[in-house]
């Protein structure tokens, strides 16, 4: 069986750039949902009907889901920034040093 040489590369600069873009997009979406929440609040006082109450309750359910979406994406961005980007290079260097000892 022939020995295969595989080299896996991780583009840490690309990961860092993607994390910055994800954070910015997530913050932008959150800002837009904040604006919608404020507008919905002001509309709620003008909607004095059962249909208006139902519409408001559905909007607020949607806004709560936005909080969950924000947290999930933010946690992913944090993981990219704290684990993948800085630790990959140091782990790869340590693995290379260990591998060199067996040559």
């Amino acid at each position: 069986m022939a020995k295969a040489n595989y080299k896996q590369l991780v583009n840490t600069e690309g990961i860092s750039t993607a994390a910055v873009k994800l954070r910015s997009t997530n913050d932008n979406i959150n800002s837009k949902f904040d604006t919608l929440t404020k507008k919905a609040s002001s509309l709620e006082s003008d909607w004095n009907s059962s249909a208006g109450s139902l519409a408001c309750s559905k909007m607020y359910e949607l806004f709560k889901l936005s909080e969950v979406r924000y947290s999930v994406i933010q946690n992913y961005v944090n993981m990219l920034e704290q684990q993948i980007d800085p630790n990959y290079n140091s782990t790869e260097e340590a693995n290379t040093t260990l591998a060199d000892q067996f040559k």
Side-chain angles (χ1 to χ4, degrees):
M1 182 163 148
K3 182 179 176 185
N5 289 324
Y6 295 103
K7 185 169 185 172
Q8 184 174 355
L9 300 175
V10 173
N11 181 350
T12 55
E13 186 176 317
I15 290 171
S16 181
T17 299
V20 168
K21 286 180 183 178
L22 279 171
R23 180 185 302 280
S24 175
T25 301
N26 199 30
D27 289 341
N28 189 30
I29 292 169
N30 203 48
S31 173
K32 299 301 180 192
F33 266 94
D34 285 345
T35 300
L36 285 173
T37 302
K38 289 174 186 168
K39 289 186 181 193
S41 266
S42 68
L43 284 174
E44 188 174 15
S45 62
D46 294 334
W47 286 350
N48 297 320
S49 68
S50 59
S53 295
L54 180 61
C56 287
S57 66
K58 294 296 181 185
M59 281 190 298
Y60 291 127
E61 285 177 34
L62 177 65
F63 300 151
K64 285 180 186 175
L65 292 176
S66 175
E67 293 170 15
V68 172
R69 179 223 20 99
Y70 181 83
S71 294
V72 167
I73 294 174
Q74 189 59 44
N75 287 339
Y76 181 66
V77 168
N78 291 343
M79 187 267 308
L80 288 176
E81 290 177 339
Q82 296 169 6
Q83 299 297 319
I84 304 296
D85 188 21
N87 291 333
Y88 178 80
N89 286 333
S90 62
T91 301
E92 197 59 31
E93 288 171 13
N95 288 342
T96 301
T97 302
L98 289 171
D100 288 344
Q101 292 178 12
F102 290 98
K103 288 184 179 178

